[in-house]
Amino acid sequence: QVQLVESGGGLVQAGGSLRLACVASGSISVINRMDWYRQYPGKQRELVATSTSAGSTNYADSVKGRFTISRDNAKNTVYLQLNSLKPEDTAVYYCNADIRSSNSPILRNYWGKGTLVTVSS
């Protein structure tokens, strides 16, 4: 059973920083993409940052220059460093990944349960 578990959310003042982590666990053979999304109340999830196993990254315009996605492939972990936080960054942040488990020939998409980031003004 593959699982994604996020951590690192919390309450921070505007201008502050947080580091989110997402660990993939279970019988994992291959992890392709590992991405971060966020969701505001009553809104659809939006893509924040993407990373591939080869090290390519992309960011939403709203977070470019402030957020950094990185991966530790040996630990099946993706991080999101959030700097210069703004109140409008307040949201639940979700990890999303395409993973092939050791007992399956195909990649499947998985979501974590999310971690709440609250930025006070």
Side-chain angles (χ1 to χ4, degrees):
Q1 183 81 9
V2 173
Q3 286 187 318
L4 298 177
V5 178
E6 303 98 334
S7 63
L11 174 64
V12 64
Q13 287 190 329
S17 297
L18 283 173
R19 190 191 194 205
L20 307 183
C22 170
V23 180
S25 64
S27 299
I28 294 170
S29 177
V30 172
I31 302 178
N32 191 356
R33 290 184 309 105
M34 293 189 87
D35 304 333
W36 286 97
Y37 285 72
R38 66 185 177 187
Q39 187 171 25
Y40 302 111
K43 302 289 187 180
Q44 288 190 331
R45 292 178 190 179
E46 63 178 37
L47 184 61
V48 174
T50 69
S51 72
T52 69
S53 57
S56 297
T57 60
N58 276 295
Y59 299 90
D61 288 343
S62 58
V63 306
K64 279 182 183 176
R66 300 189 299 121
F67 292 5
T68 302
I69 189 170
S70 61
R71 284 171 65 162
D72 185 334
N73 291 325
K75 295 182 178 180
N76 292 338
T77 301
V78 63
Y79 303 96
L80 187 66
Q81 179 68 41
L82 292 69
N83 296 330
S84 302
L85 281 161
K86 305 175 181 180
E88 53 263 42
D89 294 318
T90 296
V92 178
Y93 286 72
Y94 294 90
C95 179
N96 180 264
D98 288 335
I99 298 173
R100 179 160 63 88
S101 65
S102 58
N103 59 1
S104 173
I106 62 172
L107 286 168
R108 297 182 66 179
N109 188 256
Y110 294 87
W111 287 96
K113 293 184 177 181
T115 185
L116 176 63
V117 171
T118 303
V119 184
S120 63
S121 57

